[in-house]
Amino acid sequence: MLPLDVADLTARWFSSALGRDVTSVTVSDESSGTTGRARVALEGEPGIPQTAFVKLAPFGERQRKFVTSVGMGVAEARFYRDLAPEIPVRIPRVWFADTDGDRYVMVLEDLVAAGCRFPHPNDDDIAWRARDIVEQLAALHARFWESPRFDDGGDLAWLAPRGTGAAGGGATFV
């Protein structure tokens, strides 16, 4: 069963999800918004990440109901599980992503531990970063521009229909 709360992120669950023996999980940070988020340190057999960023359902019941009603969390997990290998821009490495009904979880590369820096409006290089973001978004959209994969029956039909911002009445990640 997929975890619903940070307390469910056990060594046993990570061992199953990662297919490797995880002996210890330490949560170093957690927060909740449109998703629940936890930064974890993992110990175990070689090949497991030392740290990971986990996204799961928001912790509050009201926010969880909202995210479930629009399908946002499931769509994001499906993006990482099904589409990430095709994405032509830098995204976090996906260690595990899955859905089960309304439940979802993503175990992603810890970008902070990887040395990534998140831009701030006062950064000296903010103009360059803004241009780079636009170029990356253009590359992402160009890859899928007018793709029949989004049409009914296509493997990406679960994403929002073109120009609507909605998938089955809800929002999507991509």
Side-chain angles (χ1 to χ4, degrees):
M1 178 174 275
L2 296 180
L4 190 59
D5 196 273
V6 172
D8 301 329
L9 299 174
T10 63
R12 184 179 194 172
W13 182 83
F14 274 104
S15 294
S16 176
L18 300 177
R20 297 181 185 267
D21 187 34
V22 175
T23 57
S24 174
V25 177
T26 304
V27 176
S28 60
D29 187 34
E30 64 181 84
S31 62
S32 187
T34 54
T35 63
R37 298 173 291 274
R39 183 166 280 109
V40 297
L42 304 173
E43 294 180 12
E45 78 175 79
I48 63 168
Q50 291 182 338
T51 62
F53 188 72
V54 181
K55 297 179 84 172
L56 58 163
F59 307 146
E61 187 63 30
R62 183 174 174 210
Q63 187 67 11
R64 187 178 293 155
K65 283 182 181 179
F66 167 73
V67 170
T68 298
S69 74
V70 297
M72 186 168 36
V74 169
E76 184 176 3
R78 288 185 73 179
F79 165 81
Y80 281 114
R81 182 189 67 199
D82 302 336
L83 199 54
E86 298 181 50
I87 300 303
V89 298
R90 169 74 161 95
I91 62 170
R93 178 174 179 178
V94 181
W95 293 102
F96 178 83
D98 205 3
T99 64
D100 183 9
D102 290 338
R103 284 187 177 213
Y104 55 91
V105 65
M106 295 150 271
V107 180
L108 306 172
E109 173 185 14
D110 179 353
L111 293 176
V112 172
C116 291
R117 184 173 64 87
F118 299 92
H120 185 276
N122 296 329
D123 289 346
D124 290 338
D125 63 349
I126 195 63
W128 176 86
R129 289 182 167 273
R131 273 191 304 276
D132 184 58
I133 289 168
V134 171
E135 289 173 7
Q136 296 296 314
L137 287 171
L140 173 63
H141 287 277
R143 168 73 175 83
F144 297 98
W145 189 257
E146 297 189 341
S147 172
R149 295 174 65 190
F150 294 105
D151 296 341
D152 288 342
D155 68 313
L156 298 179
W158 55 273
L159 287 166
R162 285 186 199 112
T164 66
T172 63
F173 177 74
V174 178

